[in-house]
Amino acid sequence: METEVGRAPAWRRAARLFTAPARDSGVAALRWDLGFYLACLAFALPTALVAEFYGYRVWGNFATVAYGLGALHSGWLLLSARTGRTPPGVLGSRWCGIAAVALLAMILPLLLLVIRRLTGVDWLITPFSWAAQPEVWVIERSADLLLHHGTPYIDVTALNRPPEVNDYTPYGPVMALFGLPRALFGGTPLGDALTDARWMFALAACACVLGTLKLLKWPKVPVGAAQLALACPLTALTWAVAGPDLAIVGLLVLACALAATGRAAWSGLVLALVVSAKLIVAPAAAVLVVFVLVRRGKGLDWPAVGRFASALVATTAALHLPVYLVDPAAFVEHVFRFPLGMGAVRSPAASPLPGHLIAGLGGAGQVTAFVLVGAAAVAMLVWLVRRPPANGSGAVLRIAVGLGALILLTPATRYGYLVYPLVLLGAHLTFRVAEDPAAPPAQQPVSTSS
């Protein structure tokens, strides 16, 4: 005969939080919250203890506390829902976990690392002392080069020494703009602290989020969307130690929102900024072209495609051509040859993702990895042709899947790039709510406010 719940062992009562049938969707959502924060905690704690980089360890310590609080809060809400109690006030909201991550795993570690960076040891070949990842230094240096030489790319063959990986700027010319405040106003401790490129990335990302929400008429953002786009460890870690990918994916989401609201030319212009900062997101152009073409649902909108393509091509050319003409060889070396593994120095991007692991099997593995990338590209094109995106959420989803496949299958890539599909999946959920306000949002309350 089954033991009464009140007299069951503690471990069994805890297990019932997950195994007992959910009476409503809110309990299922709280189960997801608890699992999400526990998974994030499992990432943050080892990062705090064994990460190679100083900034990662600082972030890991803050994030362990943040995700631990999120897990405890979610567990409390779940237990309260199971026992029929209503948590009081703001503490009854699922957004408390998001707020804890934003404050403790994003804002505070970034502030501490910016101050720590003023000690001036980041350029040492000692990762355990880095308060900012190398991409931050590289982008700030590229801005200084752009101001003084008209190009953010140095000639690695004229250094009077063998080039090293940090001599390269594997970004488009737009990325240098985020380093301009430091190049113009840095040089003093206060100036350096206020103009750290990570603040610029963060401000750009926040501005893009606000612009997107305004275009979508301020939909009620699902908690699940905020967890994927904001609170997941890749977003929080990137925010604290680096940041460029958040600014770029923010611009990409803004371009999707502009296309979804019929602003084809503006969408093309913003996408040009994205592509001119980081080429990895270029496949998004194919999705947005198809989306702009079919968006109205009443025949093919070729004039809109013309406006989109004209803005995209003209802006991209205007951003690249002046820099290219200053030093064509350096431009090609930094922007194309180095990321493709064909430069004077081999790219260190080598996270243990499927593409890298397959390519590591030898010549046949390398061929197989590139065949898989090609197959994924063909599959995406077939998906676009057979099921073109009917709305903004569909376009964002296809971009997320396409970039996710590219990141997973490319031989030379970083696991941190997975922040792109994660943020885009969060954006997809928000777009979906905006497109159907009557649909129940993902953050339905459980006898509480959320």
Side-chain angles (χ1 to χ4, degrees):
M1 191 171 186
E2 186 175 279
T3 307
E4 291 182 18
V5 174
R7 298 177 182 175
W11 66 267
R12 184 175 295 177
R13 282 179 281 160
R16 282 182 60 83
L17 292 177
F18 289 97
T19 59
R23 294 187 179 88
D24 55 52
S25 61
V27 172
L30 289 174
R31 284 178 175 173
W32 157 266
D33 290 352
L34 182 55
F36 172 81
Y37 290 116
L38 288 175
C40 294
L41 181 61
F43 180 95
L45 183 58
T47 301
L49 298 175
V50 301
E52 176 186 7
F53 304 112
Y54 173 82
Y56 279 40
R57 292 199 181 200
V58 169
W59 174 84
N61 281 279
F62 278 94
T64 297
V65 176
Y67 292 126
L69 289 175
L72 289 173
H73 181 261
S74 298
W76 176 60
L77 289 183
L78 184 54
L79 182 61
S80 298
R82 281 292 183 192
T83 56
R85 294 195 302 268
T86 302
V90 70
L91 290 178
S93 172
R94 292 173 62 202
W95 283 94
C96 286
I98 306 292
V101 173
L103 176 62
L104 298 176
M106 298 177 74
I107 296 173
L108 290 183
L110 174 55
L111 181 61
L112 176 62
L113 290 173
V114 166
I115 295 172
R116 170 64 169 75
R117 190 184 174 202
L118 299 178
T119 59
V121 297
D122 275 13
W123 279 101
L124 300 175
I125 310 301
T126 50
F128 53 82
S129 71
W130 291 350
Q133 288 303 102
E135 50 262 49
V136 177
W137 324 330
V138 166
I139 290 167
E140 291 171 351
R141 180 192 63 198
S142 71
D144 189 68
L145 289 170
L146 182 63
L147 281 178
H148 292 92
H149 303 285
T151 176
Y153 311 111
I154 60 174
D155 183 356
V156 296
T157 66
L159 295 174
N160 297 320
R161 60 170 174 79
E164 60 182 32
V165 64
N166 288 330
D167 292 323
Y168 280 87
T169 304
Y171 308 108
V174 165
M175 194 68 86
L177 300 180
F178 293 101
L180 281 179
R182 190 179 184 93
L184 292 170
F185 306 111
T188 64
L190 179 60
D192 288 346
L194 293 177
T195 58
D196 188 293
R198 285 170 291 183
W199 294 123
M200 308 306 122
F201 301 136
L203 288 172
C206 291
C208 289
V209 169
L210 292 175
T212 297
L213 293 176
K214 184 175 186 298
L215 288 167
L216 299 180
K217 300 185 188 250
W218 304 104
K220 187 176 183 182
V221 178
V223 170
Q227 288 169 339
L228 288 172
L230 175 71
C232 74
L234 290 183
T235 300
L237 176 60
T238 301
W239 173 286
V241 303
D245 291 315
L246 299 183
I248 301 310
V249 74
L251 286 167
L252 180 56
V253 171
L254 179 61
C256 293
L258 288 165
T261 54
R263 298 166 172 84
W266 282 106
S267 177
L269 188 150
V270 172
L271 185 62
L273 297 178
V274 174
V275 175
S276 299
K278 208 158 191 179
L279 279 175
I280 192 174
V281 295
V287 176
L288 286 182
V289 164
V290 174
F291 175 49
V292 169
L293 182 62
V294 304
R295 187 188 71 86
R296 291 189 308 179
K298 299 177 181 178
L300 303 181
D301 193 351
W302 291 107
V305 170
R307 295 192 299 273
F308 175 85
S310 298
L312 174 61
V313 173
T315 305
T316 302
L319 293 170
H320 282 83
L321 193 58
V323 171
Y324 174 81
L325 293 176
V326 172
D327 193 337
F331 178 89
V332 173
E333 175 74 13
H334 286 256
V335 178
F336 296 105
R337 291 178 59 84
F338 177 73
L340 292 174
M342 301 167 59
V345 176
R346 188 177 180 85
S347 172
S351 293
L353 298 175
H356 176 71
L357 296 176
I358 294 171
L361 298 176
Q366 293 178 354
V367 172
T368 301
F370 283 111
V371 168
L372 289 174
V373 172
V378 171
M380 284 299 304
L381 289 175
V382 172
W383 188 17
L384 283 174
V385 172
R386 294 180 63 87
R387 296 285 300 273
N391 47 35
S393 63
V396 173
L397 178 62
R398 284 158 178 77
I399 295 173
V401 172
L403 289 182
L406 177 65
I407 293 163
L408 290 173
L409 297 175
T410 300
T413 189
R414 300 180 188 273
Y415 77 86
Y417 290 165
L418 291 173
V419 72
Y420 285 92
L422 286 173
V423 171
L424 288 166
L425 288 175
H428 161 72
L429 296 177
T430 302
F431 273 66
R432 196 167 63 179
V433 170
E435 291 156 359
D436 187 9
Q443 77 273 33
Q444 281 289 353
V446 188
S447 299
T448 181
S449 62
S450 64

